[in-house]
Amino acid sequence: MNWDRIEGNWKQLKGKAKEQWGKLTDDQLDTIGGRQDQLVGKVQEAYGIGRDEAQKQVEAFGDRYYDSLADSPTSPTGRASNI
């Protein structure tokens, strides 16, 4: 999986992240900006879990939503593609 696609579509996925990790604030999610390492750190901190577990959760999140982004008519920059 290429996390760049998640990062490029973070505004779409921010709500899904909020559903999964409700302890994260909107401000934190804005600051994360789709960066995987930032998300792992914030999940680890908010839930008091180890880095490996946080990484596992974030990777599962990315895997879950990556395929739906592949079918999206927009590119990672948010512009319509020329299909």
Side-chain angles (χ1 to χ4, degrees):
M1 176 188 59
N2 182 351
W3 192 267
D4 289 342
R5 185 176 286 169
I6 301 290
E7 190 172 343
N9 288 280
W10 185 245
K11 286 185 181 187
Q12 279 179 261
L13 294 174
K14 193 169 68 169
K16 300 292 185 188
K18 181 72 172 174
E19 287 175 18
Q20 181 158 343
W21 298 291
K23 290 183 180 181
L24 298 181
T25 67
D26 289 333
D27 285 343
Q28 287 174 316
L29 292 168
D30 287 338
T31 300
I32 289 165
R35 292 184 308 272
Q36 186 177 20
D37 60 327
Q38 292 285 315
L39 182 56
V40 169
K42 292 296 184 186
V43 168
Q44 180 183 6
E45 183 182 306
Y47 288 89
I49 58 177
R51 185 148 187 91
D52 289 343
E53 176 60 27
Q55 183 72 37
K56 182 178 166 185
Q57 288 183 23
V58 168
E59 286 176 2
F61 173 83
D63 289 342
R64 186 175 315 114
Y65 294 108
Y66 183 82
D67 289 336
S68 67
L69 295 174
D71 297 333
S72 175
T74 60
S75 70
T77 61
R79 295 187 192 115
S81 60
N82 295 327
I83 300 175

